[in-house]
Amino acid sequence: MESALSAWARSVAEHELALSLPRRWAHSKGVARRALHLAPVLEGQVELLASAAVLHDVGYAPRLAMTGFHPLDGARFLRDVHGADDRLVRLVANHSFALLEAEERGMREPLELEFPVLENGLLVDALVWCDMTTTPDGEPTAAEARVTEIVGRYGADSVVGRFIRRATPQIFAAVAQMEAALAAQPR
């Protein structure tokens, strides 16, 4: 059964993405499904993770794209319009090493000041795992294939291409940590 927070997050993401960006919506739903796989290692935080997962790309919605940097736009929307939980907003703002992309865009300071990275490294890595092991169409994939797909889609010399190449070692480390935590769970 879906929790109140998860149902709200899904409703908000669907409202903002389903019609205007159906592929982004498919990806967001897939990322949220991946979050459920991490329940055994998250000690009661899967609801927060699944909510952040379905909302992580909400800032791409055309009506929300104020700065053109989706983690910042999405986090501001969730904070300012919905008064969302601070941990949820900070996860969305900092998903998948967004600070590195913010540097590429000259937006690190506003992101860092408004939405400091959560101290809970496991939750942060969990969202990286969910995002970076899900294709644009919402299907599971390997992190290596996902990084290659992102660079191919945006171009190696684009802002996103430069960011993702810089973030690759951290992405792979976060993914490896979560996969090790999953493997350590009793079957």
Side-chain angles (χ1 to χ4, degrees):
M1 184 171 156
E2 195 172 40
S3 72
L5 177 61
S6 296
W8 168 83
R10 183 177 181 80
S11 174
V12 169
E14 182 174 17
H15 177 78
E16 297 300 335
L17 297 172
L19 293 178
S20 62
L21 299 170
R23 193 169 191 216
R24 188 68 60 185
W25 173 231
H27 170 71
S28 296
K29 289 187 298 183
V31 173
R33 281 191 303 273
R34 297 291 282 162
L36 301 178
H37 293 282
L38 296 177
V41 299
L42 288 180
E43 300 176 7
Q45 297 183 88
V46 73
E47 176 186 13
L48 177 60
L49 177 63
S51 299
V54 78
L55 288 165
H56 80 285
D57 279 351
V58 74
Y60 277 117
R63 75 179 198 95
L64 306 181
M66 301 301 163
T67 69
F69 181 43
H70 78 278
L72 185 59
D73 292 336
R76 284 177 173 167
F77 165 71
L78 293 170
R79 178 194 63 198
D80 299 345
V81 174
H82 290 284
D85 176 85
D86 182 63
R87 295 171 307 149
L88 173 66
V89 172
R90 288 167 59 191
L91 278 168
V92 168
N94 289 287
H95 74 272
S96 299
F97 303 104
L99 277 177
L100 294 177
E101 184 175 348
E103 279 180 14
E104 292 288 333
R105 295 177 178 275
M107 298 179 147
R108 183 178 176 118
E109 187 175 326
L111 184 65
E112 215 167 21
L113 290 174
E114 288 183 55
F115 307 105
V117 175
L118 284 180
E119 293 78 29
N120 185 334
L122 184 64
L123 205 51
V124 171
D125 286 350
L127 187 53
V128 171
W129 181 85
C130 295
D131 187 20
M132 291 297 156
T133 62
T134 305
T135 69
D137 296 313
E139 298 302 319
T141 190
E144 295 80 3
R146 175 83 163 118
V147 167
T148 299
E149 180 276 321
I150 292 169
V151 172
R153 183 166 23 120
Y154 288 94
D157 294 326
S158 69
V159 169
V160 175
R162 289 191 309 269
F163 143 70
I164 206 74
R165 286 184 291 124
R166 282 181 58 206
T168 294
Q170 292 157 293
I171 290 167
F172 290 169
V175 168
Q177 180 174 327
M178 295 314 302
E179 289 178 354
L182 281 169
Q185 293 300 306
R187 300 219 170 225

